[in-house]
Amino acid sequence: DLTDEYRRAAIVINPIVAGTGLKIKSVEALCHGKALVTTVNGAEGIACADEPPFVVAHDWKDFAEAVVTLLENGQRRLALQKRALNFARANFVTERVYAPLAEALR
């Protein structure tokens, strides 16, 4: 159970460079309302119509700069945290996740 670790974290990073499908660590960070810095691969499978609720870095220099910026800029970090939590509440609640299955079973 990483709840205490998420509570203490100012930001969460997911520097994944390979893999397929939805990245559960990115989803967990959003569900905990944390500012997330990730790679293009770490954001794969998380569709956002509006401004993303996370920072996507396209190279390691951008990744490091994003982490430093969020650590130094509390206002920006808090805005990203709010967006992350709102996104998670809208997209990862049980009713929404299982809606297609429930509809198929009806």
Side-chain angles (χ1 to χ4, degrees), residues 29-101:
L30 298 174
C31 289
H32 282 277
K34 290 298 173 176
L36 170 66
V37 177
T38 191
T39 60
V40 171
N41 193 262
E44 186 179 26
I46 305 175
C48 339
D50 299 323
E51 188 176 2
F54 44 81
V55 176
V56 177
H58 297 279
D59 59 41
W60 296 119
K61 182 177 183 277
D62 287 346
F63 198 97
E65 288 174 355
V67 169
V68 170
T69 296
L70 290 173
L71 289 174
E72 291 179 344
N73 188 328
Q75 186 175 3
R76 188 168 180 185
R77 185 179 69 249
L78 291 174
L80 190 58
Q81 288 174 337
K82 183 177 179 180
R83 220 167 44 244
L85 192 55
N86 289 337
F87 180 84
R89 287 178 176 161
N91 292 280
F92 301 130
V93 293
T94 303
E95 296 79 17
R96 173 128 181 170
V97 170
Y98 292 107
L101 176 60

